Amino acid sequence: MLCVDLQEEHFTAGCPLWLPSGTLVLANKVKLVNTARRIGIALVHVRHVSQNPNASMFAHNRKYFEFVCDVSPLDGEYVVTKSGLGAFYDNDLVPRNFYKFG
């Protein structure tokens, strides 16, 4: 299983969580995701969502909330939505569905 969090918030200049080296990071993550898909590793896409609709980051109504199109989830790939501490905290990936990924 490979967990990826690739929302546009990280790769768009001016966003609070923008990564200055985002172009390189994104290129490497695209390679990683494509390799995982090619060899059959299960992908879990992590979507960060703020519980505050007026938040400056990860608000569901913001322009940069969506996944980066180059690595958006494909049909059959799991998407975890989180607003808390981490991808494995307070969601249905663990423990109910974790067995699916080995």
Side-chain angles (χ1 to χ4, degrees), residues 73-96:
L74 299 178
D75 288 342
E77 292 178 346
Y78 201 79
V79 177
V80 170
T81 299
K82 74 170 201 106
S83 59
L85 302 173
F88 296 99
Y89 176 79
D90 195 26
N91 62 51
D92 66 350
L93 182 60
V94 176
R96 190 175 61 138

Side-chain angles (χ1 to χ4, degrees), residues 3-12 26 29-30 33 37 43-49 58-60 62-74 77-82:
C3 289
V4 290
D5 58 342
L6 295 165
Q7 285 171 269
E8 291 184 15
E9 294 268 2
H10 297 294
F11 303 101
T12 304
L26 183 57
K29 285 192 170 192
V30 167
V33 166
R37 286 174 174 158
L43 287 173
V44 177
H45 299 265
V46 179
R47 180 189 310 273
H48 303 261
V49 180
F58 301 120
H60 67 86
R62 285 183 43 90
K63 179 179 179 181
Y64 304 110
F65 173 77
E66 296 302 323
F67 289 109
V68 176
C69 65
D70 292 342
V71 288
S72 292
L74 299 178
E77 292 178 346
Y78 201 79
V79 177
V80 170
T81 299
K82 74 170 201 106

Side-chain angles (χ1 to χ4, degrees), residues 52-63:
N52 176 357
N54 298 317
S56 62
M57 300 176 292
F58 301 120
H60 67 86
N61 57 352
R62 285 183 43 90
K63 179 179 179 181

